[in-house]
Amino acid sequence: MEIYQLKVFLQVARCLSFTEAAEVLNLTQPAVSAKIKSLESELKSSLFDRQGRQIQLTEIGNYLVKEGKKLVELEAEISNKLDNFKQQKLSRLTIGSSYSLANSWLPQLIYQYRQKYPEIETQLKLFSGRKLLCQAVERGIVDLSFCETRFIDCPEILQQEIATIQYGLLTASSHPLAKKNWLSLAEIKQKPLVLLNDRFASRQIFESRLSELGLKLTDFARLETVDTIGLMRTYLTQGNYLGFASNLEFQAELDSQILTSITLQEFALPAGIYVSQSQPSKSSLDNLVSKFLALLSTSTTQANKIDSSLPFPKMRSPAYYVNRPQPSQETIAINLGVQNVTIPTVTAGLIVQRLGLLEHFLPRTGRYSQVKYELHWHNFSLGTPIVKGLHSKKLDIGILGDYPLLESATQRDNEQFEPTLLVSFVSIDPNGGGSAVMVPQTSKLETVEDLQGQTVALPFGSSAHGMLLRTLSNLNLLSQVQLFPLKNSLIQAPRQQKIAAGYAYFSPFHQLASDRGNFKYLYNENTSSLPGFYGVVVRHSFAERYPEIVVAYLKALMAAQYWLANNPSAFSLVSQWTKIKPQILASILSSTQTETSNLFITDWQIRQDWLESHIAQLKSIPTAKHLGKIDLNRWIEPEFLQTAKQN
């Protein structure tokens, strides 16, 4: 029996007329008759005695009138209560949060929201895990959620990165290490360390990063786990401990200088804060949500807002590494040829290596979910051995300057010879001043033309070699200047080798020689000077087999360039690593194109016209004519870079 059937019956009983009841109910008389017949059929009893056009209630009909009114009244009461509940629900916003954000960043936002919209009730629910929070959003238990991890396996949830936070070391301001700007994980292994428990994102992020780097918690000699931020504060201020957390969790202590933050090299990139909600339904609730989201754009919280104009990668969510499968079944060795002292390449090798960026962006899902990586960094003083290593399959990825970069593109009919692909630039020198020719201060030579009949020492196969070949060819001096290779350290060579009248160098070695004051530059009015560049080349078969790894390397390169551009201490730290003065570093490399005094600018966009210009000038030189056979359309592969920029 349906409530609506009962309502029709009660109206007919009240009117004792199907026609009048139909008018009151705004129905046709046949429709009313049909409802009554259906009800009588269901009850298997007559409700009315019909005598012509007159009707009277039967005994069962009278009973149903008495009891039916109670049912209708109860239905109305329930309906009113439901309406009241819905109205109350639509004026309340339920917010889910991770423990760390609920104790630091989120309360100020909720306070601002309540002040601006006092008629809206807010309810905050805390969740100890990413999975529980994701389920709460999916099931409508919460209307919005905030956490430090991404819901990568929940397509029905809308998620957006809204701010960045920084993770690092915390210590009491009186701690012996408090004056340090940078530390590495290796430097703190023997120090007392305190962490929050795994309900907090900082703990999850710390363990995930250790896993990427092949480390584990047991590598730390003295580790304590605590359950609250207050207890961690006590360990830091009274126990001489180092702690790992975000800048938000202890913002008050940092502002009051009770605690000091120290950047960890392995956590140099910022991480994200994410807001999540289920798909909008255009209900009144969505209006409450939209008001809160609008407040985010104008909030004054301590987290840094996202700059959407920067396409650089940030620290990935630890969700990628939660519940990792059983021990690895495959080992992938990656051999990288880098030039760590060649300053224009530091973002492609030295910084990526020191900050552990490649480990962070390597793929660890799908076909790579059970892979163990072995990274082998091979540091060279120039590009020639890198070219040989790529062609002989001993290296997988190489960083090279313009002339050796082109040499890596050459082909040979040899089964053991491995071709390469150009996947990215690293840095560019639009004015072509990256290489130079120098002579001792006591030399009477003043211009490159004065080298006629003289001997020049240089690193064969380097960018400086390519520059000198082009310059001498343009001056018709190729056959009148003798070239021989430098065999010792490029930095020490000018002091040790005296048989050469001049020396050709690439950055930073000619700047270092000039800084010592014993050498001077030869003036060169050569109009054929071309833009210089460094790039990333990959073994062809390696790129075909592991395209995701190539993309991961390019993401690490972008992250290194982001770090260099956004960290005021970057050149100071690179100076410590390379033992080269920060002033010299800054004079060689810039992270922006506004600083025109710098020779090189960090940039990954491949410039095919520059490659063509170099080939056009070099292929007329007898020792370099083989470069004219390079097929740039087959060698340049931009898809890896495009993928890296999109993800």
Side-chain angles (χ1 to χ4, degrees), residues 403 406-407 410 466 469-470 473 478 530 611-632:
Y403 186 56
L406 292 173
E407 286 285 359
T410 57
L469 288 177
R470 299 194 318 269
S473 176
L478 268 177
L530 295 174
L611 296 165
E612 292 170 346
S613 297
H614 276 255
I615 293 173
Q617 289 197 21
L618 288 167
K619 68 181 182 181
S620 62
I621 300 171
T623 57
K625 62 182 181 180
H626 59 286
L627 299 180
K629 299 180 181 180
I630 295 175
D631 185 347
L632 292 180

Side-chain angles (χ1 to χ4, degrees), residues 62-75:
N62 279 311
Y63 175 80
L64 187 57
V65 168
K66 180 180 177 181
E67 299 299 328
K69 289 180 180 179
K70 297 178 183 179
L71 288 174
V72 172
E73 289 171 357
L74 179 60
E75 186 266 345

Side-chain angles (χ1 to χ4, degrees), residues 231-361:
L231 187 53
M232 185 170 180
R233 184 189 304 112
T234 301
Y235 272 77
L236 294 173
T237 56
Q238 300 182 26
N240 212 33
Y241 276 75
L242 297 172
F244 180 84
S246 75
N247 61 319
L248 297 181
E249 289 163 310
F250 292 88
Q251 192 63 53
E253 290 82 357
L254 291 170
D255 290 342
S256 61
Q257 299 183 348
I258 296 174
L259 298 180
T260 298
S261 177
I262 305 172
T263 302
L264 274 173
Q265 290 181 19
E266 294 82 359
F267 293 87
L269 294 182
I273 296 177
Y274 302 90
V275 59
S276 306
Q277 65 179 122
S278 58
Q279 296 286 349
S281 60
K282 296 182 180 180
S283 68
S284 300
L285 175 61
D286 293 327
N287 184 44
L288 306 188
V289 171
S290 63
K291 288 180 178 178
F292 199 98
L293 296 177
L295 185 66
L296 288 173
S297 62
T298 59
S299 70
T300 57
T301 56
Q302 294 291 339
N304 298 315
K305 296 186 180 68
I306 290 294
D307 183 353
S308 59
S309 66
L310 296 177
F312 303 103
K314 297 178 179 64
M315 184 165 284
R316 297 194 304 188
S317 165
Y320 283 92
Y321 312 110
V322 174
N323 298 324
R324 181 171 287 193
Q326 294 302 312
S328 304
Q329 298 178 352
E330 179 186 3
T331 298
I332 298 178
I334 307 173
N335 289 277
L336 302 101
V338 297
Q339 303 178 62
N340 283 346
V341 185
T342 304
I343 302 308
T345 73
V346 291
T347 56
L350 182 63
I351 294 176
V352 171
Q353 184 180 2
R354 290 283 185 152
L355 301 186
L357 296 176
L358 180 53
E359 293 92 331
H360 185 61
F361 290 103

Side-chain angles (χ1 to χ4, degrees), residues 422-473:
L422 176 63
V423 296
S424 173
F425 272 10
V426 173
S427 60
I428 59 173
D429 169 22
N431 299 317
S435 298
V437 182
M438 308 185 78
V439 295
Q441 284 284 6
T442 56
S443 174
K444 296 181 179 179
L445 303 182
E446 298 293 336
T447 68
V448 174
E449 288 90 335
D450 294 338
L451 290 172
Q452 184 174 359
Q454 302 291 335
T455 301
V456 177
L458 74 162
F460 270 31
S462 68
S463 296
H465 190 184
M467 176 276 298
L468 190 59
L469 288 177
R470 299 194 318 269
T471 301
L472 295 177
S473 176

